[in-house]
Amino acid sequence: MLQPTNMDHVMDYLIKQKCKDDNWGETTTAVTGTSEHSLSQEDIVRITKDLEDSVGLDCRRYFTLTLAVILGLLVFLTPLAFLVLPHLLWFDRLQPCGTACEGLFISVAFKLLILLLAVWALFFRAPRASLPRVYVFRALLAVLVLLFVLSYWLFYGMRILDSQDENYQGIVQYAVSLVDALLFIHYLAIVLLELRQLQPCFSVCVTRSTDGETRHYNLGQLSIQRAALAVLQHYYCDFPVHNPALLSASKSRAAKHLAGLKVYNVDAPAEGPGNNAAAAAAGLAHSQSRAMIAAAARRRDTSHNELYYEEAEHERRVRKRRARLVVAVEEAFTHIKRMQEEEQKKAPGDVMDPREAAQAIFPSMARALQKYLRTTKQQHCHSMESIQQHLAFCITNNMTPKAFLESYLSPGPTLQYGRDHWLARQWTLVSEASVTSGLKDGTVFLLKCVDFSLVVTSKTIPYIQMSEEYIDPKSHKFVLRLQSETSV
Amino acid sequence: MSFIPGQPVTAVVERVEIKKLFQGGNLILGFSIGGGIDQDPGQNPYSEDKSDKGIYVTRISPGGPADEAGLKMGDKIMQVNGWDMTMVTHDQARKKLTKKNESVVRLLVTRRSLEDAVKQSKGGYAQQ
């Protein structure tokens, strides 16, 4: 405890402390200024979410994979085991069986081959997504296969291994029946997993919450999580890319509405017992907001006028820039020409490959393109590098200037842009019903990502009653229409 | 009011006498006609039998001579001044009605309510 009155003591103490830790100046870190890699709050949220979720999902995927491999091995080795075990255990007492058995061996071999190919075709595919809950049908099928194989083993163990049956042909036929039943279970798997949802039953309406982009899709009978997966795959291909820069105008208008009014409370709040004060405060807030709404309605608001003229002006500006851009690009494309094969051998002078050609003509159109992108608020979607790459691509494939410009004049689907613009790989499914339950009429669920959410509603396609009516081709007869009315 | 081809047509008719009115330089009767053997009978809204090609009253100007004489919309005209109207073209019917030297036309018209009234009175009589 320092005594502040004795300054000498204080100075001594401080000097001692400094000498103890002589090199503290070298080990302190100095902030040299802002670094180039600055992270916004959203980026931090996104990174932490990615980190904490990737670990859990990998575990689940490996778990499912090992289960599947074990089940597959069990299924394929069981018929072979049924055939081989009698030979190993009681070879001397087995009845030799001739041609009939050999025929059955061939059929077992081919059926197993077909089963192998079919399982490879249906199940051995790279997973497209990781869903929140287990895929119910697949789990049920796995359980069914397991129970089936176990019951066959049980029967085999009790009736054949225990009693050491000598009728080898019967054993071979038993193995063949197992393989047949496995093929039928595979047929069941195709029907449940693939065929059932092909026929469209529901029409879902997908709306993006920030700018109202809406699309309609037809889906079959799916569970909610699989329907969400289908919707997201369509989203990446169909919806134009989410552009937050376009939403700032409406936000500023909303802010202006609220900023115009201030509420002053002239009467003092009523002094009463505890619960009365809370109710009075709530009632006060209620009346305040009502007063604000009434005042806003009465005020002569000219913001609609501003919006109209602003939008007309913006439209004019965009069209002017677009005209300049089109002319600049067309002129730039006339500067280069594709060399033919014969010319290539003759003059190896100033020959360029597509990338160099793109770099050569890019500066003449760069300014017009940049101005156009700024006006339509798309400048963050396209980098210089990507524009030059696209230009080289168009030149290589003999595309016209109009074809080159098409990707800049209108916003394309999200997949066309670079990876950083996909803007969400992590989606959250928000649903009131269980996500493994099926889609029904009037189901509503949300797909949330960091910047926006997609609202999905489903409606059933109605039951159609169709009847037939036969028209005799000879019954198509016509008369002239005459109908006059005369006044007398 | 339906007819069997080849058999004579029977109908309960009402006699209507209309005095022509001189208006606007013409003698007018104050109603409009539709139908005729050269017209499409299926478009007649007043006929019971849609193959009936007779002449029907399609419109009556209120307060005109026809209205005062008691002609009703939807009446089928069977005779005009003795001339038959059941098998005439539209133009022939118009000519028979608008002869300049006649100031009065005597029509025989039939309508569904006449038939019903006769049937009702016959039925009532039988019950008595």
Side-chain angles (χ1 to χ4, degrees), chain A residues 486 488, chain B residues 33 35-38 55 80 83-99:
Chain A
T486 329
V488 291
Chain B
I33 52 165
I37 53 175
D38 57 338
I55 306 289
V80 172
W83 295 98
D84 171 60
M85 287 281 129
T86 56
M87 279 287 147
V88 290
T89 65
H90 190 86
D91 210 37
Q92 286 169 347
R94 181 190 60 81
K95 282 193 188 139
K96 294 285 184 284
L97 281 166
T98 53
K99 281 196 178 332

Side-chain angles (χ1 to χ4, degrees), chain A residues 469-479:
Chain A
E469 186 185 319
Y470 173 68
I471 294 187
D472 187 7
K474 292 201 224 100
S475 70
H476 298 294
K477 301 269 185 254
F478 292 90
V479 288

